[in-house]
Amino acid sequence: GREYTVRLERYPTVLASTNLWVAKARVRIAAYSRYLDTIKLRVKWAVTPGAASVHDVVKVLDGHGAVVDWWFTACSCKQRADGQSDQPSSSGGVYVTLIRGPATPRGGVKVLFYPGGGELVGAVAKDWVPWPLIGW
């Protein structure tokens, strides 16, 4: 990644400035399998190694934008256990199993990567799964 400084100036005075760290991030649905009202997704992510954080998060959102699953990329878990390593993970993958109920919104899911665990989206998975054809 690279670091940049953005400044708002009224020459010669700097009114405000901030530093930005620019890196590459990718999240994707690598594969899926469907069984009746259940779908299993293989979700993978990668981020520039120097930019990975123990707070990076991947979220799975339903067709209405509600979070249906999430995890820290450092441990592929929702809560790190005591004594668990606080090492960031620059790449990895998990399996996510979703069950469709009567109230499950149609339109499939979206998978997003959030660097640092904040609300800024760093990457969005390409939506290649044929959701309507598989009844989701």
Side-chain angles (χ1 to χ4, degrees), residues 10-49:
R10 180 173 292 157
Y11 188 78
T13 306
V14 175
L15 302 173
S17 71
T18 188
N19 292 332
L20 302 172
W21 176 261
V22 179
K24 291 182 181 180
R26 180 178 183 202
V27 65
R28 64 189 178 103
I29 299 173
Y32 77 93
S33 55
R34 181 179 63 97
Y35 310 96
L36 300 174
D37 287 337
T38 303
I39 191 164
K40 186 175 188 177
L41 305 173
R42 176 69 170 151
V43 177
K44 293 186 174 186
W45 69 87
V47 63
T48 302

